[in-house]
Amino acid sequence: MAEIAVAGAGIAGLATAVALTQRGHSVTVIEERLDTTSGAGISIWPNALAALDHLGLGDQVRCAGGRVAAGAIRWKDGTWLRRPAPERIVTALGEPLVVLQRVVLRDILAAALPPGTVIDGTAVRQVSTTRTGVRLELSDSTVRETDALVGADGTRSVVARHLNGPLGHRYAGYTAWRGVAQIAVDPDVAGETMGPGREVGHVPMGTDRTYWFASERAVEAGSAPHGELAYLQTTLASWADPIPAMLAATEPAEVLRNDLYDRDPARCWSKGSVALVGDAAHPMRPHLGQGGCQALEDAAVLGAFLDLTADLPHAFRGYQAFRRRRVAAIVRESRLIGRVVNLRPVLLSALATRATVLLPEVVVTRHLASIASRSAFRLPTRDDAPSA
Ligand SMILES: Cc1cc2nc3c(=O)[nH]c(=O)nc-3n(C[C@H](O)[C@H](O)[C@H](O)COP(=O)(O)OP(=O)(O)OC[C@H]3O[C@@H](n4cnc5c(N)ncnc54)[C@H](O)[C@@H]3O)c2cc1C
C-alpha cells in the first residue's frame, strides 16, 4: 500500500483522505491553518449524499443537519417567481437535501480518519516529482517524500500550479455574506429571494436555526463601516419576511463576508502520482451550492478508481477523465447564474431574473436533477478504467 500526502484539510482533502484510508493507504493530510473551523452552514445536495453513502458517512451527515425539500424563488416583495411542490423536488432529487453547519461536516469527515492523520499549521510550499514519487517542501523547513500527492488546497492551490503553471485569479465583482439566524423560518419559503442585483438565500438548518447567504456587487476587499450585519439590515429592510427577522436573529460577530473570485480552470488535474480534487481542480461560484458537493463526488470517484486499478497514476488518470465533463458544465452554469444576477444596469438583472418564471417547472426540475439528484452521482465501472 502507498504513502499518500493530501495537501489541505477542507471538505475535499478530508473526504479524499477517508476514501484513500478505506483502501488501506497510509495517508497524511497537511493543512496550512491551525484553526480550520469555519462558520455558517452548507447545503449538501442528494448527489453529494450519494457520494457520502459510498464513503459510509451519508447517514451521519443526514442525522447532523436539517432536511430541506423546498426550492422556492421569490421576488423581494414576497411574490413567487417559482414555487415547486416539495414532493416534486424530492421525487426528482431522490431525497431532500441536508443543510448543516460546516464545522459539523468537517468533524464527521475528520472523525472517519485514524488519529494523527491531519497535521495542522504546516503548508506545502513546493512540489517536485522524483523517480519514485513526490517530494514536498513544507513551511516548517522539512522535506517529505511520498509515493503520491493529492492537491486539495483550494483555489490558491500550490499543487494545481505545479501541474498547470500560473493560474489567473480575478475578482468576480461581487461579494457574499453568510450567517446563521437563531430562528426557524417557514420551510415553504426555503430557497432564495431575489432583487435587482441582489440575491438572498435562506434554508432551515434543523428546527430552530436558519442558514442564510446574500450577495451583491461591491468593490474588492471592501467592508461596511458600521458592520456587515448592520449594512445588510439597512439595505434589505424592505424585503419580505423572513429576511429582516432572520437578520435580526443573527449574531453580528458571526457574519462572514467573502469576495468571490474566478480562477482559471486547471486543464491538468493529474499527472503521474499527483492529482487534484475540489476547488484546487475546479473552483466555482457558489450559486448552485455545488462546490463542496462536487468535492465529495471527487473523493468517492477517486476511491472507486483505486478499486479498479491498484496503480495510482493509472487511477488518477481515470478519475480525471471520468469527472471533468460533469464538473465543467457545473462550473460554467454557476458562473452564468452569477453573471445574470449581477448584470448591470440592475434593471437588466431584474428583468433576467424575473424572466426565469417563464421556464416550465418540469424543465427546471429536470435540469436541477441532472446536477443535484442522487442519480446524477455516478461511479465508474470497469468500462471507465483507462487503458494502461
Ligand atoms: C458564499 C459561499 C457559499 C457556498 N455554499 C456552498 C453550499 O451550500 N454547498 C456546497 O457544496 N458548496 C458551497 N460553497 C463552495 C464550497 O465552500 C467550496 O467549494 C468547498 O469548501 C471547497 O472545498 P475544498 O476542500 O476544495 O477547498 P477549501 O475549503 O478552500 O480547503 C482548502 C484547504 O487547504 C488549505 N491549504 C491551502 N493552501 C495550502 C497549502 N499550500 N498547504 C497546506 N494546506 C493548504 C486551506 O487552509 C484549506 O483548509 C460555497 C462557497 C461560498 C464562497
Side-chain angles (χ1 to χ4, degrees):
M1 286 295 142
E3 279 199 17
I4 305 178
V6 175
I11 296 170
L14 292 175
T16 304
V18 171
L20 297 172
T21 307
Q22 285 172 343
R23 283 155 184 92
H25 297 293
S26 165
V27 180
T28 304
V29 181
I30 300 163
E31 166 57 48
E32 166 168 61
R33 290 188 290 156
L34 275 173
D35 177 11
T36 46
T37 53
S38 51
I42 186 161
S43 309
I44 301 297
W45 289 83
N47 60 310
L49 292 171
L52 282 161
D53 283 338
H54 191 70
L55 298 173
L57 299 173
D59 285 341
Q60 280 189 57
V61 170
R62 287 184 188 88
C63 291
R67 311 296 314 261
V68 176
I73 304 185
R74 298 179 312 154
W75 192 243
K76 68 188 187 95
D77 60 6
T79 48
W80 299 96
L81 298 180
R82 307 208 78 85
R83 195 181 186 183
E87 315 80 66
R88 181 196 277 270
I89 297 274
V90 174
T91 306
L93 296 182
E95 63 175 312
L97 56 138
V98 171
V99 180
L100 80 170
Q101 279 184 280
R102 277 182 184 253
V103 64
V104 172
L105 175 61
R106 190 193 180 279
D107 287 350
I108 291 172
L109 295 170
L113 294 169
T117 302
V118 181
I119 302 174
D120 285 320
T122 307
V124 174
R125 291 270 186 254
Q126 283 282 348
V127 178
S128 47
T129 40
T130 64
R131 215 168 36 81
T132 52
V134 186
R135 183 175 190 273
L136 306 178
E137 290 174 38
L138 305 181
S139 56
D140 60 5
S141 306
T142 60
V143 168
R144 187 176 276 256
E145 307 255 353
T146 62
D147 298 318
L149 168 68
V150 177
D153 46 346
T155 52
R156 295 185 184 272
S157 175
V158 168
V159 186
R161 286 167 175 87
H162 163 74
L163 291 180
N164 291 275
L167 292 168
H169 199 248
R170 286 167 303 278
Y171 181 47
Y174 55 106
T175 203
W177 292 266
R178 284 173 283 170
V180 174
Q182 301 299 324
I183 52 163
V185 295
D186 177 356
D188 265 6
V189 300
E192 292 188 3
T193 307
M194 314 296 291
R198 292 205 175 97
E199 174 187 27
V200 181
H202 30 77
V203 276
M205 196 164 74
T207 51
D208 52 1
R209 286 178 303 170
T210 301
Y211 163 51
W212 60 262
F213 58 87
S215 75
E216 88 176 15
R217 271 192 175 267
V219 292
E220 188 177 7
S223 65
H226 304 294
E228 304 301 331
L229 185 63
Y231 171 76
L232 292 173
Q233 283 182 294
T234 307
T235 47
L236 303 173
S238 65
W239 285 40
D241 263 334
I243 291 157
M246 203 177 68
L247 295 175
T250 300
E251 195 52 55
E254 287 175 12
V255 174
L256 302 175
R257 174 177 176 153
N258 297 101
D259 286 344
L260 299 177
Y261 288 85
D262 289 323
R263 198 205 70 192
D264 290 345
R267 288 171 315 283
C268 174
W269 293 16
S270 95
K271 190 171 179 197
S273 311
V274 181
L276 301 175
V277 289
D279 278 7
H282 45 70
M284 62 183 80
R285 296 194 192 179
H287 303 281
L288 289 169
Q290 278 288 330
C293 293
Q294 291 303 313
L296 293 167
E297 286 200 20
D298 287 347
V301 168
L302 187 59
F305 269 100
L306 290 168
D307 296 334
L308 294 175
T309 167
D311 179 63
L312 286 170
H314 199 205
F316 288 175
R317 220 169 53 244
Y319 148 80
Q320 154 167 315
F322 186 80
R323 290 282 298 143
R324 24 183 0 135
R325 186 158 359 134
R326 167 159 167 78
V327 179
I330 296 172
V331 169
R332 270 197 307 275
E333 185 165 334
S334 302
R335 187 187 288 209
L336 180 68
I337 297 171
R339 286 197 172 141
V340 169
V341 172
N342 290 283
L343 272 176
R344 279 293 182 271
V346 285
L347 183 65
L348 264 186
S349 122
L351 282 174
T353 306
R354 298 196 72 144
T356 61
V357 77
L358 301 174
L359 290 171
E361 201 55 59
V362 64
V363 172
V364 176
T365 310
R366 198 183 303 138
H367 181 63
L368 178 65
S370 73
I371 295 169
S373 66
R374 283 190 69 81
S375 54
F377 167 66
R378 266 204 333 113
L379 283 169
T381 62
R382 291 237 152 259
D383 294 343
D384 297 302
S387 45

